[in-house]
Amino acid sequence: MKRLKGISFIYLSLIAVLISVGCDKDNDSTDSLPTEYKIEISPEEILLDDDETGLLYLSIQPQAEFQWNVSSKPDWLEVKPSSGTGNDQAIEIELIPDHTGLNAGGHSGVIEIITSIAGKKKITVELSVDARPIAEVNPEEIIFSEGNLQKVMTVSNIGTGFLNWEFQSLPDWLQLHPQSGRTNDGNKAQILATAQISGLEAGSWEDQFVLQSNSEGGDININVSLEVPEVVIMTITEPMIRFGYFEGEKSFFIKNEGNVEFNWDWDDNSNSFVSIDPASGSLVKGDSIEITMTIDRTELTTDTYDLEVFINNDKDKTIGMNIQINHFDEEKWLIHGRIIDAEYNRNNDVLVVVSESPYELRVFDISNNSVESVALNKLPTSLSVGLNGNHAVVGHDGSFSYINLSTMEVENNYEVSTNVFDIILAPNNWVYVFPTGGVLDRIRCFNLSTGEKTLHTGSSIGLRRVRLHRSGRYIYGATRGSSPGNFEKYDISNGTAEYLYRSPYHGTYSFGGDIWISDNGSRLFAKSRNIFNASTLQNNDMTYNGELVGVSNVKTLDHSSAAQSVYAIFYSDNSWNAPPGDEIRKYSNHSWVFQGTIELPGFLIPDGTGDGNIFKSQGHFGFFNSNGTKFHVIVKVQEGSGALNEWAIVSVDVE
């Protein structure tokens, strides 16, 4: 308690006065009684700390009996007693400060005391309050329940000054936001408490954390409890798995992110070509397992497969997985080099081609996937296989080669006074070379038996694409480089070719510059899709017979009496540089009715990522086999593919 200045002197003076009055009592008369009283309060000003009690002394001069009471005081001060009766003794009054709610610093107030005979008097009281923060937490216990995993609590400063606070010793599963702060007196902070149940086992969880602060009350412990239900969370890392054309194996993980153990298994929905390893197992809380998925492509055909499979567990949880498989079944026989020309030998059921890079003649036996080849000394320009299938001739610039197909040997090379555009090996053992020269040129005729060389008789010719008639006596040709185009016929029955005549049309029907002959020799097919008769009678020969339905020109065509069909491949459009199309068009040889299409299989080109792109095939040469059950096509991949082998042989079943 602070020293009360002057209190001893006043107290002693009051006592001395009382004694003096007592000694003179017998000498006073009733006429000398005082009529004016004065209040004496000591001290008249008091200084208090917030943790001490002060004293006041009240008396009346001259002494007399009186009543008194405290009429006003500061709210933060308690006065004891606050009223009473006095006489010749000084009255002791106790002053008790209450700093609750007061800011730190100085506070000033006035006490007013009223007496019954001496009036009233005021005394100043000064209170010095130190900073005393006091923390209060509400609630002091947090209870989480299922479905209610967030609670709001408050930290209040019910004292004075600044309360610096921080929560410590939090359970791993509890998050508080904010976790620390500073709160002024009279204010409070809101804290969001969140329970994190992921990874916790099911059951009751109880713990305690603490609020540490500069509060006068010290640290506060807060109890927290949590009821964790059974949570089954099964996840997979790859809900969508895509297999590229060149991929057969993929991996993913099954995870247990719940709080209970489960058993899992694989439901493949009877897709026998998809399997996983392992196909079942158990996972405890927080565990995972790597799964390897494998594709068996043995029974797959070219297609994109979209599947849905399922992972199940014994806690009634199911996860669906989408699987996409790109599969390409290579149906083609990939061959190297650039194919220049091709013919089919139905006597031996083999395909004969000539190529660049390398310069070769090759014989493909498609029935057993075997091939034989013979090297050529020059770039081939054209090919003709004899009707008996024993020999072939290959045209070059300025020469042609005569090749034995039984021994696969070049028997002879013949010089020719022209570059060879097309060539015919006839059954009369003559070779007919059609030049690349101008419109006034001649067919070079070679007698292989005698070495005789002649030029054809009759009208001169220009550039011609030619075919040997099945009879072996005639050659039919399609004019090129002249307008309008036409068909022509040459007689070779006497050795040297003789120009006979052209079709009876001159611009009435389009021919297009190429020609094919039916296997029975009765029909001529033009590049323009028009069909004409072939006859030994001139008035019926090369006369119009019909048309193959379509919108562009023919690239390649063949007829089979056994199949009773014409199969053709058209150009992709009518532009002058259009590539061949990617489908076979089917026609009946009865009235040439269109019967549908067969798409040629494309080329799968890897893209370096395990996947690839399919590029279209372009059909260049097409032939029926001898019994009409197969149609063989030499195809080339479309430009820009980057394929190592751009050419291939495709065989399709004849329907």
Side-chain angles (χ1 to χ4, degrees), residues 159-338:
T160 60
F162 289 101
L163 176 70
N164 299 315
W165 55 271
E166 182 177 8
F167 290 104
Q168 295 287 345
S169 303
L170 297 178
D172 293 339
W173 46 267
L174 178 64
Q175 287 185 351
L176 298 181
H177 183 78
Q179 193 172 329
S180 61
R182 188 179 191 190
T183 305
N184 200 357
D185 47 5
N187 293 326
K188 61 184 177 181
Q190 278 196 339
I191 292 89
L192 180 65
T194 304
Q196 304 289 331
I197 67 171
S198 177
L200 296 182
E201 294 182 358
S204 297
W205 291 74
E206 295 182 355
D207 214 319
Q208 188 179 76
F209 61 101
V210 62
L211 177 70
Q212 294 181 346
S213 70
N214 60 340
S215 171
E216 284 196 340
D219 295 344
I220 299 176
N221 293 323
I222 301 104
N223 294 320
V224 59
S225 61
L226 170 66
E227 286 295 325
V228 179
E230 185 175 281
V231 179
V232 181
I233 304 176
M234 179 174 64
T235 63
I236 55 177
T237 55
E238 301 291 339
M240 170 65 183
I241 296 182
R242 184 178 183 275
F243 287 88
Y245 290 104
F246 302 96
E247 295 176 314
E249 188 175 285
K250 294 272 190 175
S251 294
F252 65 96
F253 285 85
I254 301 175
K255 296 183 178 181
N256 183 351
E257 296 184 351
N259 58 20
V260 292
E261 181 179 358
F262 58 73
N263 300 317
W264 64 271
D265 60 20
W266 152 265
D267 180 3
D268 66 353
N269 201 23
S270 301
N271 295 307
S272 59
F273 51 87
V274 181
S275 61
I276 67 170
D277 183 34
S280 62
S282 297
L283 285 177
V284 298
K285 174 180 69 73
D287 202 2
S288 63
I289 186 170
E290 185 175 14
I291 308 297
T292 300
M293 180 177 290
T294 305
I295 303 299
D296 180 4
R297 298 178 179 267
T298 306
E299 302 298 326
L300 300 185
T301 59
T302 300
D303 203 350
T304 296
Y305 294 80
D306 290 300
L307 314 174
E308 186 177 19
V309 296
F310 300 93
I311 304 292
N312 306 313
N313 67 28
D314 58 354
K315 302 294 183 180
D316 296 326
K317 299 295 182 181
T318 297
I319 298 178
M321 296 181 64
N322 293 314
I323 303 174
Q324 185 179 85
I325 305 169
N326 285 340
H327 183 77
F328 184 84
D329 197 9
E330 184 58 84
E331 307 170 57
K332 305 182 301 299
W333 183 353
L334 297 175
I335 57 179
H336 61 277
R338 181 173 75 92

Side-chain angles (χ1 to χ4, degrees), residues 3-23:
R3 182 178 299 275
L4 304 180
K5 297 179 181 180
I7 186 168
S8 299
F9 174 78
I10 295 173
Y11 182 76
L12 293 175
S13 299
L14 287 172
I15 294 174
V17 169
L18 292 173
I19 293 172
S20 174
V21 171
C23 293

